[in-house]
Structure formats: C-alpha cells, structure tokens
Amino acid sequence: AVSMALISRLVSSRKGWRQHFVHFNENERYLKSVYTSYVRPALEYAAPAWHSSLTNGQTAKLERIQKRACRIILGPQYTDYASALSTLHLSTLADRRTCICTKFAESLLRSDFRDWLPPSREHITGRTTRSSQKLDIPLCRTNRYKNSPIPYLVHLLNM
C-alpha cells in the first residue's frame, strides 16, 4: 500500500512524480491506478458544491494537473492530451465533474432533501405538458447566485 505521506510528497514535489516511484513498478497500469485512486479524487472532492462557480482559468489549472499526470504515466509515448486521454481511457476533469454533478442532482431528487430543489412545473401549474416534469428555474438576480450549485443542478436536471 502506498502511504499518504508518499502521496502528499508526490503531489507537492517540484521534482516530478517519477522520482518518487523508482522503487515501484513503473508500468502504465500502476501509475494510472495511483492517479485515479489518490490524485483525481482529491481534485474532484465535493465537486457539486464548487464546480458551477469555477472560472475558465481555474478549470484550466485543474485540467493541467491531469494533463501532467497523463504525460508522466505515458512517458515518451505521450503526444498530446486528447490522444493521451483516449489511450488511458480517461475523460476530461470538466466532463467528469459535470457527470458527478448530474448524478448528485438525480440522487437529490430521490432523497429526503428533495425540498432543496424547486418544485416541478406540473406541481406549480397543475397542468401536464411536455415540459411539466422539468423543475421550475429559480430567479437569479445576481451572477453569484446564478453560478451557485442549486441553479446549476436545476439546469442539469432540466437538460
């Protein structure tokens, strides 16, 4: 088992990841499993709470971490980020966060916290229409609220 001290040195080190893995088996499968088991969960922790309010720069910085991990995992076989993702069978972090948020919103609909979301249009109007299963979109007077989790989750559920 890889210790958390090693992982913290791995993430925070400026020397690069490969130097910490000289005594480990350096094949792609092992490095990918370390990345997907330890690093990526830290990058996606509590994503439904903060994903909707990320700026493009912050998204690029997060994506840069995965790009660097792909470069380390593939070594000299790395050509570009898109082909590395397909070779390693990974998706972009932005796509994963959207999927995580969608799953969270769907589970929120079925949970005891359903009242955190606005009611469906059918519940408000009493009429059944093509869009009656969609949730009522909350009124957003500021961009800060518009980029907060609840309106974003409602948008994902209404897609």
Side-chain angles (χ1 to χ4, degrees):
V2 179
S3 72
M4 288 309 291
L6 177 63
I7 295 302
S8 66
R9 278 184 285 173
L10 172 78
V11 171
S12 65
S13 174
R14 293 178 185 250
K15 296 177 183 175
W17 292 7
R18 283 228 185 251
Q19 292 178 359
H20 293 292
F21 282 104
V22 287
H23 60 282
F24 288 107
N25 184 9
E26 287 192 9
N27 63 23
E28 282 179 21
R29 189 174 55 83
Y30 180 75
L31 291 175
K32 179 185 172 188
S33 71
V34 168
Y35 170 72
T36 57
S37 300
Y38 293 101
V39 179
R40 191 171 67 185
L43 299 175
E44 296 173 342
Y45 181 74
W50 50 264
H51 170 63
S52 61
S53 53
L54 286 178
T55 63
N56 289 338
Q58 292 166 333
T59 301
K61 284 181 181 181
L62 286 171
E63 212 63 53
R64 198 174 306 136
I65 295 170
Q66 178 163 290
K67 183 177 181 179
R68 186 171 188 185
C70 290
R71 183 171 289 166
I72 290 167
I73 293 167
L74 292 175
Q77 300 163 346
Y78 180 87
T79 54
D80 65 300
Y81 184 50
S83 63
L85 290 177
S86 66
T87 301
L88 295 172
H89 305 290
L90 297 173
S91 57
T92 65
L93 290 175
D95 291 343
R96 281 187 52 85
R97 285 191 310 271
T98 302
C99 183
I100 289 168
C101 288
T102 303
K103 288 179 184 176
F104 175 75
E106 290 168 352
S107 69
L108 192 59
L109 272 177
R110 295 183 302 270
S111 74
D112 293 337
F113 300 102
R114 166 64 177 92
D115 58 333
W116 288 7
L117 297 173
S120 67
R121 293 178 185 158
E122 180 180 16
H123 183 71
I124 294 171
T125 63
R127 292 183 279 161
T128 303
T129 62
R130 286 180 294 212
S131 64
S132 64
Q133 295 302 315
K134 293 186 176 185
L135 299 178
D136 191 38
I137 300 169
L139 178 62
C140 301
R141 293 189 178 128
T142 63
N143 280 335
R144 184 174 184 172
Y145 179 60
K146 184 180 180 183
N147 293 330
S148 68
I150 298 297
Y152 178 71
L153 295 175
V154 168
H155 170 73
L156 287 177
L157 288 171
N158 284 342
M159 289 177 42

